[in-house]
Amino acid sequence: MDFTPTEEQCVAQELAARIFDDLSTHERLAAAGTGTDAELWKALCTAGLVGAAEDIGVLGLVLLLEEQGRTTAQVPFAATCVYGLLAVAAHGTDEQRVRLLPALRDGTAVATGAFPARGGGIRATAPGQLSGALPFVPWLRDATHVLVPDADRALWLVQTADAEVSEVETTAPWAAGRLVLSGTPGERLGGPGAYESVLALGRTAFAALQAGVCAGSLARAVQYTSTREQFGRPLSTKQGVLLRAADAYMDTEAIRVTAYEAAWRQDEDLDAAAEVLTAAWWASEAGKRVVHAGQHLHGGTGADLDHPVHRHFLWGRQLDAYLGCGAELLAELGQLLAKEEPV
């Protein structure tokens, strides 16, 4: 394994960090509410960072999503890259790539996906027509296209203008919506194996997002406990605080390194099924612990719903729910390992 980023990946990460730091401020995040920060989204697309996901590999995308998570930037970056740009590039026909990719690269089209599919269900009721409902799809209210798996795990790309979309409030402010399809037209994307490929990429990407969320939460906790004094000493000198922060740091690094391994194996065209589930499990289980620790280390300030650390808490809990709970992922991993022949 070699997780050393290429020069191109480093340049993209540095540019993303600069844009997110400049534009994803607490004031702008508060003003954005649950919607997309249009100025930030335009800046990312103009800088070519959305389109760059095609060229810098899964590991490069992971590095960019860490930067988004660190600032909890209110843009559908992960969703558009995973369920739009990369899904179409990998599984679309030549005609679909020519028609869809330019708009996805420049941000005029925004994609999201119902992955992992939870609740409800979608079925093909006639050739090219879909029916069913999905109770929660992130960024759906801002999306122009949504990637949906049907009951047979075939992938369909649906224009949100053709579907019924209603607002749904979720833990994190992700402009989520309920998707209802009633004989809605959809176009097939990819063939056998496309669902599994997109799901694996999504789990890796959102684990990377969780690594960034946790790193940002921990950085805020370190800054707070280093300056907040109690009985004449900084909180960071207390043994209990040090141990809690150290545990959060180790958990954050575990999320990061498992996401890196899953991404690297996908870039190398190696079997990554177990590594993807491992990364998703760490993001779910450890992610919860880290964002709780970040809020706890802020003491009473952490209970302030308007404090920046609370946003990391909300994102961390939403990512835990979105990835699938740890028990589900662990069961899936156990089933996968049980199928493997002993060495």
Side-chain angles (χ1 to χ4, degrees):
M1 292 180 289
D2 183 3
F3 302 154
T4 305
T6 65
E7 182 179 354
E8 186 180 23
Q9 290 169 340
C10 288
V11 170
Q13 182 183 25
E14 290 169 4
L15 178 57
R18 186 161 64 249
I19 293 174
F20 285 131
D21 284 338
D22 289 345
L23 294 180
S24 189
T25 62
H26 177 56
E27 293 73 22
R28 291 179 61 87
L29 288 168
T34 62
T36 295
D37 184 331
E39 183 180 347
L40 174 55
W41 182 240
K42 181 179 179 180
L44 292 169
C45 295
T46 301
L49 287 173
V50 177
E54 293 177 88
D55 304 317
I56 58 177
V58 182
L59 183 57
L61 177 61
V62 162
L63 296 174
L64 299 187
L65 292 178
E66 275 193 86
E67 297 302 330
Q68 180 186 3
R70 186 174 55 81
T71 58
T72 60
Q74 197 67 11
V75 286
F77 189 30
T80 292
C81 288
V82 170
Y83 303 126
L85 192 75
L86 296 179
V88 172
H91 305 291
T93 63
D94 290 340
E95 187 276 333
Q96 286 174 320
R97 294 190 189 101
V98 170
R99 173 165 48 89
L100 297 169
L101 289 180
L104 290 166
R105 292 184 189 116
D106 66 22
T108 54
V110 174
T112 188
F115 283 77
R118 286 181 174 277
I122 301 298
R123 62 192 184 281
T125 53
Q129 294 185 0
L130 305 170
S131 294
L134 292 168
F136 155 71
V137 180
W139 302 108
L140 183 63
R141 301 200 311 267
D142 291 337
T144 58
H145 297 77
V146 55
L147 190 63
V148 181
D150 66 16
D152 297 320
R153 294 190 169 184
L155 293 183
W156 299 85
L157 197 61
V158 174
Q159 294 189 48
T160 52
D162 296 330
E164 179 184 335
V165 175
S166 55
E167 182 175 343
V168 172
E169 292 297 331
T170 55
T171 302
W174 285 0
R178 183 172 188 264
L179 180 70
V180 178
L181 306 178
S182 302
T184 305
E187 57 178 311
R188 278 293 305 272
L189 187 73
Y195 169 85
E196 289 77 12
S197 173
V198 174
L199 178 58
L201 178 60
R203 281 174 164 167
T204 305
F206 282 92
L209 200 59
Q210 183 76 298
V213 169
C214 291
S217 174
L218 182 58
R220 290 188 181 279
V222 169
Q223 193 277 333
Y224 178 81
T225 56
S226 297
T227 56
R228 177 76 165 87
E229 292 190 357
Q230 187 179 64
F231 306 117
R233 296 171 57 196
L235 287 173
S236 59
T237 63
K238 311 291 185 182
Q239 187 178 42
V241 172
L242 288 170
L243 292 174
R244 191 77 189 275
D247 286 342
Y249 173 79
M250 293 301 294
D251 274 337
T252 300
E253 288 303 296
I255 300 170
R256 176 182 286 117
V257 74
T258 52
Y260 283 8
E261 182 178 11
W264 176 81
R265 291 187 70 87
Q266 289 172 79
D267 282 337
E268 296 295 316
D269 292 324
L270 299 172
D271 179 28
E275 288 75 13
V276 167
L277 285 168
T278 301
W281 181 83
W282 272 104
S284 174
E285 289 291 297
K288 268 186 303 196
R289 292 195 294 266
V290 174
V291 296
H292 274 270
Q295 194 165 25
H296 188 198
L297 289 172
H298 278 76
T301 304
D304 182 357
L305 301 185
D306 295 323
H307 193 278
V309 77
H310 189 68
R311 180 175 291 268
H312 290 270
F313 175 78
L314 296 178
W315 276 60
R317 290 313 308 258
Q318 187 67 62
L319 283 164
D320 162 44
Y322 181 63
L323 289 164
C325 75
E328 292 174 328
L329 294 163
L330 202 59
E332 191 175 342
L333 177 60
Q335 292 169 0
L336 175 67
L337 296 178
K339 293 178 183 177
E340 295 182 356
E341 295 181 1
V343 178

